[in-house]
mmCIF file of all heavy atoms in Angstrom:
data_model
loop_
_atom_site.group_PDB
_atom_site.id
_atom_site.type_symbol
_atom_site.label_atom_id
_atom_site.label_comp_id
_atom_site.label_asym_id
_atom_site.label_seq_id
_atom_site.Cartn_x
_atom_site.Cartn_y
_atom_site.Cartn_z
ATOM 1 N N ARG A 169 116.234 66.365 93.803
ATOM 2 C CA ARG A 169 115.085 66.915 94.521
ATOM 3 C C ARG A 169 115.404 68.289 95.108
ATOM 4 O O ARG A 169 116.525 68.556 95.536
ATOM 5 C CB ARG A 169 114.670 65.970 95.656
ATOM 6 C CG ARG A 169 113.395 66.403 96.377
ATOM 7 C CD ARG A 169 113.080 65.473 97.530
ATOM 8 N NE ARG A 169 111.774 65.775 98.108
ATOM 9 C CZ ARG A 169 111.317 65.273 99.245
ATOM 10 N NH1 ARG A 169 112.067 64.425 99.943
ATOM 11 N NH2 ARG A 169 110.116 65.601 99.704
ATOM 12 N N LEU A 170 114.384 69.132 95.133
ATOM 13 C CA LEU A 170 114.439 70.390 95.865
ATOM 14 C C LEU A 170 113.108 70.569 96.573
ATOM 15 O O LEU A 170 112.048 70.596 95.936
ATOM 16 C CB LEU A 170 114.683 71.579 94.934
ATOM 17 C CG LEU A 170 114.592 72.961 95.598
ATOM 18 C CD1 LEU A 170 115.722 73.150 96.604
ATOM 19 C CD2 LEU A 170 114.593 74.080 94.558
ATOM 20 N N ARG A 171 113.159 70.687 97.901
ATOM 21 C CA ARG A 171 111.960 70.951 98.698
ATOM 22 C C ARG A 171 112.226 72.181 99.558
ATOM 23 O O ARG A 171 113.215 72.225 100.293
ATOM 24 C CB ARG A 171 111.613 69.764 99.589
ATOM 25 C CG ARG A 171 110.301 69.954 100.355
ATOM 26 C CD ARG A 171 110.062 68.822 101.334
ATOM 27 N NE ARG A 171 108.776 68.956 102.007
ATOM 28 C CZ ARG A 171 108.451 68.319 103.136
ATOM 29 N NH1 ARG A 171 109.320 67.494 103.714
ATOM 30 N NH2 ARG A 171 107.270 68.507 103.687
ATOM 31 N N VAL A 172 111.343 73.170 99.461
ATOM 32 C CA VAL A 172 111.503 74.417 100.201
ATOM 33 C C VAL A 172 110.210 74.699 100.950
ATOM 34 O O VAL A 172 109.123 74.681 100.355
ATOM 35 C CB VAL A 172 111.833 75.599 99.267
ATOM 36 C CG1 VAL A 172 112.151 76.848 100.087
ATOM 37 C CG2 VAL A 172 112.997 75.257 98.348
ATOM 38 N N ARG A 173 110.333 74.981 102.242
ATOM 39 C CA ARG A 173 109.165 75.285 103.067
ATOM 40 C C ARG A 173 109.350 76.634 103.761
ATOM 41 O O ARG A 173 110.448 76.966 104.220
ATOM 42 C CB ARG A 173 108.943 74.190 104.110
ATOM 43 C CG ARG A 173 108.615 72.831 103.499
ATOM 44 C CD ARG A 173 108.269 71.801 104.558
ATOM 45 N NE ARG A 173 109.412 71.526 105.417
ATOM 46 C CZ ARG A 173 109.373 71.551 106.744
ATOM 47 N NH1 ARG A 173 108.268 71.889 107.382
ATOM 48 N NH2 ARG A 173 110.454 71.263 107.444
ATOM 49 N N TYR A 174 108.245 77.382 103.853
ATOM 50 C CA TYR A 174 108.242 78.697 104.493
ATOM 51 C C TYR A 174 107.355 78.674 105.728
ATOM 52 O O TYR A 174 106.446 77.845 105.848
ATOM 53 C CB TYR A 174 107.763 79.768 103.509
ATOM 54 C CG TYR A 174 108.726 80.001 102.364
ATOM 55 C CD1 TYR A 174 108.650 79.230 101.201
ATOM 56 C CD2 TYR A 174 109.722 80.970 102.447
ATOM 57 C CE1 TYR A 174 109.529 79.426 100.149
ATOM 58 C CE2 TYR A 174 110.609 81.166 101.393
ATOM 59 C CZ TYR A 174 110.508 80.390 100.246
ATOM 60 O OH TYR A 174 111.393 80.583 99.214
ATOM 61 N N GLU A 175 107.613 79.621 106.630
ATOM 62 C CA GLU A 175 106.922 79.632 107.920
ATOM 63 C C GLU A 175 105.412 79.769 107.772
ATOM 64 O O GLU A 175 104.648 79.216 108.559
ATOM 65 C CB GLU A 175 107.468 80.768 108.793
ATOM 66 C CG GLU A 175 106.960 80.738 110.219
ATOM 67 C CD GLU A 175 107.677 81.726 111.110
ATOM 68 O OE1 GLU A 175 108.379 82.611 110.587
ATOM 69 O OE2 GLU A 175 107.535 81.613 112.344
ATOM 70 N N ASN A 176 104.935 80.492 106.747
ATOM 71 C CA ASN A 176 103.495 80.693 106.595
ATOM 72 C C ASN A 176 102.783 79.493 106.003
ATOM 73 O O ASN A 176 101.562 79.486 105.881
ATOM 74 C CB ASN A 176 103.217 81.923 105.718
ATOM 75 C CG ASN A 176 103.486 81.657 104.243
ATOM 76 O OD1 ASN A 176 104.378 80.884 103.901
ATOM 77 N ND2 ASN A 176 102.714 82.291 103.379
ATOM 78 N N GLY A 177 103.540 78.452 105.608
ATOM 79 C CA GLY A 177 102.942 77.251 105.040
ATOM 80 C C GLY A 177 103.137 77.099 103.546
ATOM 81 O O GLY A 177 102.815 76.042 102.979
ATOM 82 N N ASP A 178 103.655 78.121 102.860
ATOM 83 C CA ASP A 178 103.999 77.961 101.444
ATOM 84 C C ASP A 178 105.045 76.860 101.307
ATOM 85 O O ASP A 178 105.980 76.770 102.109
ATOM 86 C CB ASP A 178 104.585 79.259 100.875
ATOM 87 C CG ASP A 178 103.541 80.339 100.658
ATOM 88 O OD1 ASP A 178 102.332 80.041 100.764
ATOM 89 O OD2 ASP A 178 103.937 81.488 100.379
ATOM 90 N N GLU A 179 104.895 76.060 100.259
ATOM 91 C CA GLU A 179 105.834 74.950 100.077
ATOM 92 C C GLU A 179 105.912 74.572 98.606
ATOM 93 O O GLU A 179 104.917 74.638 97.882
ATOM 94 C CB GLU A 179 105.378 73.734 100.884
ATOM 95 C CG GLU A 179 106.284 72.522 100.760
ATOM 96 C CD GLU A 179 105.853 71.363 101.646
ATOM 97 O OE1 GLU A 179 105.069 71.584 102.598
ATOM 98 O OE2 GLU A 179 106.316 70.229 101.382
ATOM 99 N N VAL A 180 107.098 74.189 98.179
ATOM 100 C CA VAL A 180 107.280 73.608 96.851
ATOM 101 C C VAL A 180 108.214 72.409 96.970
ATOM 102 O O VAL A 180 109.163 72.420 97.763
ATOM 103 C CB VAL A 180 107.830 74.637 95.838
ATOM 104 C CG1 VAL A 180 109.251 75.082 96.205
ATOM 105 C CG2 VAL A 180 107.793 74.086 94.421
ATOM 106 N N ASP A 181 107.904 71.360 96.209
ATOM 107 C CA ASP A 181 108.692 70.138 96.231
ATOM 108 C C ASP A 181 108.813 69.660 94.785
ATOM 109 O O ASP A 181 107.814 69.355 94.137
ATOM 110 C CB ASP A 181 107.997 69.081 97.096
ATOM 111 C CG ASP A 181 108.866 67.855 97.357
ATOM 112 O OD1 ASP A 181 109.946 67.739 96.751
ATOM 113 O OD2 ASP A 181 108.456 67.014 98.175
ATOM 114 N N ILE A 182 110.042 69.621 94.267
ATOM 115 C CA ILE A 182 110.311 69.238 92.875
ATOM 116 C C ILE A 182 111.231 68.025 92.892
ATOM 117 O O ILE A 182 112.265 68.039 93.562
ATOM 118 C CB ILE A 182 110.994 70.390 92.114
ATOM 119 C CG1 ILE A 182 110.169 71.674 92.224
ATOM 120 C CG2 ILE A 182 111.224 70.010 90.645
ATOM 121 C CD1 ILE A 182 110.971 72.934 91.940
ATOM 122 N N ARG A 183 110.848 67.001 92.147
ATOM 123 C CA ARG A 183 111.664 65.783 92.153
ATOM 124 C C ARG A 183 111.736 65.169 90.759
ATOM 125 O O ARG A 183 110.708 64.923 90.130
ATOM 126 C CB ARG A 183 111.099 64.759 93.134
ATOM 127 C CG ARG A 183 111.895 63.461 93.209
ATOM 128 C CD ARG A 183 111.337 62.498 94.225
ATOM 129 N NE ARG A 183 111.469 63.008 95.579
ATOM 130 C CZ ARG A 183 111.127 62.295 96.671
ATOM 131 N NH1 ARG A 183 110.628 61.089 96.537
ATOM 132 N NH2 ARG A 183 111.277 62.813 97.874
#
Side-chain angles (χ1 to χ4, degrees):
R169 185 183 188 191
L170 173 66
R171 185 186 183 198
V172 187
R173 296 186 295 129
Y174 293 87
E175 188 171 14
N176 75 327
D178 286 350
E179 180 176 342
V180 66
D181 189 352
I182 306 160
R183 180 178 294 185

